[in-house]
C-alpha cells in the first residue's frame, strides 16, 4: 500500500474518509511530533488540549483510535480509558514510559488494546496503529459510533450519549437519528426517512413518524438538545446548518 493510501477506509458504506486519531498526551513536544508524523501517513490527528475534559474532546472529534498516555494532569490515562469504554469500543493504545508489567496489565484490564513504551520509534508506532485499525475496521465496513456536535450515537447498543448523559432510544428513534447524523447539514425528506424504516421491516405511516419525532425531541430536551432537529416545512428534517 502506498503512503497516500494509508489511513483511508470507509466510515459508512459507500463513503470514504480518513481515520481520525486522538492523542491524549500532556507533553506538547511529543504530542505535536506524533501528530505531525501520523499526518504524513494520511491520518487526521487531534491532540487533547483540555485535560479536565478529555471525554468532551473525544465526543467532539469522534476518533477511530486513541493514543493514551498514563501520567496526565487531573486524572490518569486509566481513568479516561474507563470513561471511553463506557461509551465506545474504539481501539485504545497506551503510550507511556511506565512500561513495567504491572502497568501493562493494568492498561489491558482497563480496556486498552495495546501498549507502546516510551521512548519509541515513530515508524513503529505508526505500524502498530495501522495494524490495529486494519484488525478493527477492515472487515467491519463501518465504525461502531457516529458523532455530531459533541454527541455520540452508539450503533451497537442504539443509545445516544450527550456529554456523560445516556439516552436510551427506541428502534425507530435510533434509526431516525442515524439517518440525520449520516446527512448532517442536509435536509432529509419525510419520505426518505419512512422508506429507510420500511426497508428495515419497520413500516410507519406519516402520522407515526410525527409521533416518533415528537418523542425523540422530548428526550433531547431532557439533555438541552431539544432544538437540535430542525423541521424544514414541506421538505423534511435536518440537523446542523444546511449547506
Amino acid at each position: 500500500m502506498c503512503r497516500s493510501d494509508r489511513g483511508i477506509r470507509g466510515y459508512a458504506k459507500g463513503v470514504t474518509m480518513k481515520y481520525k486519531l486522538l492523542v491524549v498526551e500532556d507533553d506538547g513536544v511529543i504530542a505535536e511530533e506524533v501528530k505531525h508524523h501520523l499526518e504524513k501517513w494520511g491520518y487526521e490527528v487531534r491532540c487533547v488540549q483540555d485535560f479536565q475534559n478529555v471525554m468532551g474532546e473525544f465526543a467532539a472529534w469522534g476518533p477511530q483510535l486513541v493514543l493514551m498516555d498514563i501520567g496526565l494532569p487531573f486524572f490518569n490515562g486509566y481513568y479516561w480509558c474507563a470513561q471511553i469504554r463506557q461509551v465506545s469500543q474504539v481501539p485504545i493504545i497506551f503510550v507511556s514510559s511506565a512500561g513495567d508489567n504491572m502497568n501493562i496489565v493494568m492498561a489491558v484490564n482497563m480496556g486498552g488494546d495495546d501498549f507502546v513504551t516510551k521512548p519509541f520509534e515513530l515508524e513503529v508506532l505508526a505500524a502498530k496503529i495501522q495494524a490495529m485499525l486494519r484488525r478493527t475496521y477492515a472487515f467491519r465496513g463501518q465504525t461502531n459510533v457516529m458523532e455530531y456536535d459533541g454527541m455520540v450515537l452508539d450503533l451497537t447498543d442504539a443509545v445516544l450519549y450527550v456529554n456523560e448523559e445516556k439516552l436510551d432510544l427506541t428502534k425507530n428513534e435510533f434509526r431516525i437519528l442515524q439517518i440525520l447524523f449520516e446527512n448532517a447539514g442536509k435536509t432529509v425528506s419525510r419520505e426518505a426517512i419512512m422508506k429507510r424504516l420500511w426497508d428495515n421491516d419497520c413500516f410507519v405511516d406519516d402520522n407515526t413518524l410525527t409521533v416518533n419525532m415528537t418523542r425523540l425531541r422530548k428526550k433531547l430536551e431532557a439533555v438541552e438538545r431539544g432544538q437540535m432537529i430542525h423541521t424544514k416545512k414541506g421538505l423534511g428534517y435536518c440537523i446542523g446548518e444546511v449547506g
Side-chain angles (χ1 to χ4, degrees):
M1 181 181 294
C2 65
R3 175 160 296 193
S4 61
D5 292 330
R6 290 167 175 164
I8 309 298
R9 293 293 179 194
Y11 175 76
K13 193 172 183 180
V15 178
T16 301
M17 70 163 288
K18 293 182 179 181
Y19 280 126
K20 296 195 293 185
L21 313 182
L22 182 67
V23 179
V24 190
E25 166 64 67
D26 64 320
D27 186 316
V29 174
I30 294 176
E32 285 302 316
E33 194 172 308
V34 168
K35 179 178 185 291
H36 181 69
H37 183 77
L38 294 178
E39 285 174 340
K40 291 181 180 178
W41 281 63
Y43 300 113
E44 294 185 53
V45 186
R46 178 175 293 185
C47 300
V48 165
Q49 301 299 315
D50 183 357
F51 290 94
Q52 294 188 77
N53 188 34
V54 172
M55 284 304 295
E57 296 200 27
F58 172 84
W61 185 232
Q64 280 76 57
L65 184 142
V66 176
L67 295 176
M68 181 74 71
D69 191 12
I70 294 176
L72 298 169
F74 306 107
F75 301 97
N76 64 29
Y78 299 136
Y79 172 83
W80 292 118
C81 180
Q83 293 296 303
I84 291 172
R85 281 290 170 261
Q86 291 182 23
V87 302
S88 174
Q89 292 302 310
V90 63
I92 298 174
I93 299 178
F94 277 90
V95 182
S96 175
S97 57
D100 57 276
N101 289 339
M102 181 177 295
N103 277 291
I104 293 174
V105 170
M106 177 70 78
V108 172
N109 287 341
M110 296 303 291
D113 297 282
D114 202 347
F115 197 107
V116 175
T117 303
K118 297 176 182 177
F120 53 84
E121 294 292 332
L122 288 169
E123 289 290 336
V124 172
L125 177 64
K128 279 181 169 286
I129 290 170
Q130 185 182 33
M132 180 66 67
L133 291 170
R134 184 172 59 246
R135 290 196 301 269
T136 305
Y137 300 116
F139 304 106
R140 184 178 297 179
Q142 63 179 38
T143 57
N144 60 347
V145 296
M146 299 181 73
E147 181 275 334
Y148 175 78
D149 192 25
M151 295 169 288
V152 177
L153 184 64
D154 188 318
L155 304 180
T156 302
D157 297 329
V159 297
L160 180 71
Y161 294 91
V162 182
N163 298 324
E164 295 188 10
E165 293 279 344
K166 173 182 176 182
L167 290 185
D168 291 312
L169 305 169
T170 67
K171 184 180 294 185
N172 283 347
E173 291 165 352
F174 165 71
R175 287 174 175 166
I176 290 169
L177 268 187
Q178 184 178 8
I179 295 166
L180 295 177
F181 270 52
E182 289 171 354
N183 294 278
K186 301 177 183 177
T187 299
V188 185
S189 70
R190 293 175 63 90
E191 292 75 15
I193 294 174
M194 288 189 288
K195 185 178 185 301
R196 177 78 166 265
L197 297 177
W198 169 268
D199 287 344
N200 282 277
D201 300 322
C202 185
F203 175 73
V204 292
D205 61 24
D206 192 73
N207 184 60
T208 305
L209 177 58
T210 300
V211 171
N212 276 270
M213 193 66 72
T214 299
R215 289 175 177 170
L216 177 56
R217 279 174 163 152
K218 286 183 178 179
K219 288 186 178 181
L220 292 171
E221 284 175 3
V223 289
E224 301 181 350
R225 295 298 183 107
Q227 304 302 315
M228 183 185 88
I229 301 175
H230 306 288
T231 300
K232 297 296 181 179
K233 192 172 182 179
L235 297 175
Y237 303 98
C238 71
I239 59 173
E241 294 296 325
V242 178

